[in-house]
Amino acid sequence: MAVKETVNNLLDKLNLSSKDSGLPPKEPEDQELKELQERYAKADQGQVFAFYDSLDTAGKESLYNQLSTIDPKYINEITQKALHPNSKKDQDTRTSLEPLPESATASILDSGTEDIEKWYSSGLDLVADGKVAVVLMAGGQGTRLGSSAPKGCFDIGLPSEKSLFQIQAERIWKVQRLSEKKHGKTDVVIPWYVMTSGPTRGPTQKFFEEHDYFGLGKDNVIIFEQGILPCISNEGKILLESKSKASGILNELYKGRPLMHKQVAVAPDGNGGIYQALITSKVRTDMRERGIQHIHAYCVDNCLVKVADPVFIGFSASKDVDIATKVVRKRSAEEPVGLIILKDGKPDVVEYSEIDSSTAQAKDTKQPDVLKFRAANIVNHYYSFRFLETIEEWSHELPHHVARKKIPYIDTEKGETIKPEKPNGIKLEQFVFDVFPMLELKRFASMEVKREEEFSPLKNAKGTGEDDPDTSRQDIMNQGMRWVQEAGGTVVSEGGADSTGVEISPLISYGGEGLDFLKNRTIKAPAVIEKEE
């Protein structure tokens, strides 16, 4: 039994599940198999059946089921479009780039207190009315951080040892309480929809269960999975990852119970897969049934993200837009970030590599001390529910992008596993912002926020010195120290750089409010404040 439990744990890590239906595995009918083989042969992808005859019954059933979910003709089409995205007409057309007009923008840096308070108040009203939901894009693993766990499980080194998931959950909890206090309610709910990928679905579910959903309630934390696409060789062939992932002791222990082998090499379909996933997972249906009208969507790796930000929700709702996005001011002309701009009259994102040096360095004519193109994209968006109701009308138009990768695969001629030393294939992915140009400008808006208050991405391994656990930790600690000082308190430190700052729990303060009890108090750093005392 102990061995079997160990194997079960291994299966979870491998993202393999047993189909414990009590029924023995069954091969597909001859006619069904023939039709599927013909479909792949017509698409010149017949190599995926190279090892079919050598598989056991469970393996045949698994491969058949997996291949049945893939349309090889469609894969060929999107691969060719991704590899050859520009027509000659596109190449001959000069692109026009301009900042978004003032009518579509606002800035926390420049807006008056009255406007910000108005947006904040209306945002809390919408929360109290049950109209606001949050979608978290959490499909990434912490591979570059030295962890195979979902990135949201990562502890960035705060005194409290809280994970990114916990920090963000507590911010949702706090917004609920702030809304309840304003309206005299006790049952305000902001549903949290957590989008995972294949490798992170199981571990994420387990993490939330182990932490009792961080007090948000199991029914209001909905974990779902984004789609996947086959990995493609440089020659345009669908790659096989293995003949059968489960073998040896696994097959012996699960004899008669087919494991869900994944023999085709697959990868998540990018953060742009969120749109289709909202439909296939029934998340959109759940939102509709709850009466949701306003959605905040963001990425898990930003430790400073203001989840369900009432100011952002209130601003976006007041503009009556379908999509709004938060941006931070670009640090310098050379900072390699994507920019929210107006491209050929449409809202869009332009990558750093797509603009020349003179454009990057151009100054704003009204504010000569800042860049003309400065609205850095931080993947922090608002959606109206009415827009998400139209996904079927435009999702097929979203392009796929190519990521060239080193993809382990089975040589279908020799039957050998190959682990390439250089990129041998491509992974296809969609980007969440590719929908922006499909909107009329009047349906799009952008809000500039303070980088030090809202953006600190976690991208690199500890010790890198930029966008790593140390910088994430310090950004939260510095924010807490500012809040203490703004509340009339004093922070002292006797140590080095790692001994500075204060961690203030989101359960105490969402954005610096409610800290009057710190007035005239001296806090010795590093410190964590979890409750009023």
Side-chain angles (χ1 to χ4, degrees), residues 21-232:
S21 62
L23 298 174
K26 181 183 178 182
E27 291 186 26
E29 298 291 338
D30 290 344
Q31 185 59 32
E32 293 175 331
L33 177 61
K34 181 180 178 183
E35 290 175 359
L36 188 64
Q37 288 176 324
E38 288 177 351
R39 180 145 53 102
Y40 276 82
K42 284 183 180 179
D44 198 24
Q45 297 285 5
Q47 78 284 347
V48 295
F49 289 96
F51 307 109
Y52 183 84
D53 291 338
S54 65
L55 297 175
D56 60 14
T57 300
K60 289 178 179 178
E61 181 186 48
S62 177
L63 180 60
Y64 176 85
N65 288 338
Q66 188 185 23
L67 293 176
S68 295
T69 66
I70 299 170
D71 181 348
K73 181 181 178 183
Y74 171 72
I75 297 302
N76 286 347
E77 289 173 353
I78 63 174
T79 299
Q80 288 306 308
K81 286 181 180 179
L83 289 172
H84 310 287
N86 297 321
S87 65
K88 188 174 187 302
K89 179 181 177 181
D90 293 332
Q91 295 170 355
D92 290 343
T93 303
R94 184 176 178 82
T95 299
S96 168
L97 301 180
E98 290 294 335
L100 289 176
E102 291 183 6
S103 60
T105 63
S107 175
I108 295 298
L109 284 68
D110 303 326
S111 295
T113 303
E114 183 179 336
D115 285 334
I116 295 173
E117 289 179 349
K118 179 180 65 176
W119 295 328
Y120 178 77
S121 179
S122 63
L124 287 182
D125 293 344
L126 292 169
V127 170
D129 290 340
K131 304 297 184 185
V132 176
V134 172
V135 175
L136 166 59
M137 290 173 275
Q141 292 173 285
T143 308
R144 280 193 285 179
L145 307 176
S147 170
S148 61
K151 193 178 284 188
C153 301
F154 197 79
D155 170 6
I156 59 175
L158 291 170
S160 67
E161 300 182 350
K162 290 178 182 178
S163 65
L164 292 173
F165 279 144
Q166 182 170 352
I167 295 167
Q168 293 162 22
E170 291 182 352
R171 288 180 184 146
I172 293 175
W173 184 91
K174 185 60 174 179
V175 174
Q176 292 176 165
R177 301 294 83 77
L178 290 168
S179 181
E180 288 176 347
K181 183 177 181 180
K182 182 175 189 262
H183 290 271
K185 292 186 174 184
T186 58
D187 57 353
V188 170
V189 169
I190 301 173
W192 195 16
Y193 301 93
V194 181
M195 187 177 79
T196 64
S197 61
T200 63
R201 172 67 182 269
T204 298
Q205 186 83 47
K206 184 178 180 182
F207 193 78
F208 273 84
E209 289 173 355
E210 290 174 344
H211 292 83
D212 196 25
Y213 296 87
F214 303 104
L216 296 178
K218 180 179 180 180
D219 292 340
N220 298 315
V221 178
I222 297 88
I223 297 172
F224 67 107
E225 193 171 323
Q226 70 185 100
I228 56 174
L229 288 169
C231 298
I232 310 296

Side-chain angles (χ1 to χ4, degrees), residues 400-461:
H400 287 81
H401 303 270
V402 169
R404 298 193 179 275
K405 301 285 185 177
K406 293 184 286 186
I407 306 170
Y409 69 102
I410 294 288
D411 186 319
T412 54
E413 293 183 1
K414 300 179 181 178
E416 300 175 352
T417 299
I418 307 296
K419 293 185 177 181
E421 296 181 355
K422 60 182 181 180
N424 64 307
I426 62 174
K427 294 182 179 181
L428 297 170
E429 56 185 3
Q430 293 180 311
F431 297 155
V432 69
F433 55 73
D434 280 330
V435 71
F436 292 0
M438 298 181 187
L439 288 176
E440 295 180 81
L441 180 57
K442 67 180 181 180
R443 292 297 184 191
F444 186 89
S446 176
M447 171 178 274
E448 183 184 53
V449 297
K450 296 179 180 179
R451 184 189 290 252
E452 65 271 22
E453 292 292 334
E454 299 202 36
F455 186 55
S456 179
L458 178 60
K459 303 289 186 184
N460 304 314

Side-chain angles (χ1 to χ4, degrees), residues 174-324:
K174 185 60 174 179
V175 174
Q176 292 176 165
R177 301 294 83 77
L178 290 168
S179 181
E180 288 176 347
K181 183 177 181 180
K182 182 175 189 262
H183 290 271
K185 292 186 174 184
T186 58
D187 57 353
V188 170
V189 169
I190 301 173
W192 195 16
Y193 301 93
V194 181
M195 187 177 79
T196 64
S197 61
T200 63
R201 172 67 182 269
T204 298
Q205 186 83 47
K206 184 178 180 182
F207 193 78
F208 273 84
E209 289 173 355
E210 290 174 344
H211 292 83
D212 196 25
Y213 296 87
F214 303 104
L216 296 178
K218 180 179 180 180
D219 292 340
N220 298 315
V221 178
I222 297 88
I223 297 172
F224 67 107
E225 193 171 323
Q226 70 185 100
I228 56 174
L229 288 169
C231 298
I232 310 296
S233 73
N234 287 334
E235 294 71 41
K237 299 294 185 181
I238 295 174
L239 291 170
L240 292 179
E241 183 177 17
S242 64
K243 296 179 185 178
S244 174
K245 273 190 177 179
S247 61
I249 188 171
L250 301 186
N251 283 332
E252 182 63 28
L253 283 168
Y254 286 87
K255 193 177 294 180
R257 292 171 55 199
L259 293 167
M260 300 303 288
H261 313 302
K262 292 192 173 180
Q263 293 132 320
V264 173
V266 296
D269 55 5
N271 58 22
I274 186 175
Y275 303 115
Q276 201 60 40
L278 291 175
I279 298 174
T280 57
S281 65
K282 308 294 187 192
V283 161
R284 188 179 65 176
T285 299
D286 188 76
M287 290 180 177
R288 186 185 302 119
E289 292 173 348
R290 291 175 184 259
I292 298 300
Q293 294 181 4
H294 310 277
I295 296 95
H296 178 215
Y298 69 98
C299 286
V300 73
D301 60 4
N302 177 11
C303 69
L304 291 179
V305 61
K306 298 184 75 170
V307 190
D309 179 13
V311 174
F312 188 41
I313 297 294
F315 162 76
S316 303
S318 71
K319 301 286 284 186
D320 193 29
V321 295
D322 284 329
I323 296 179

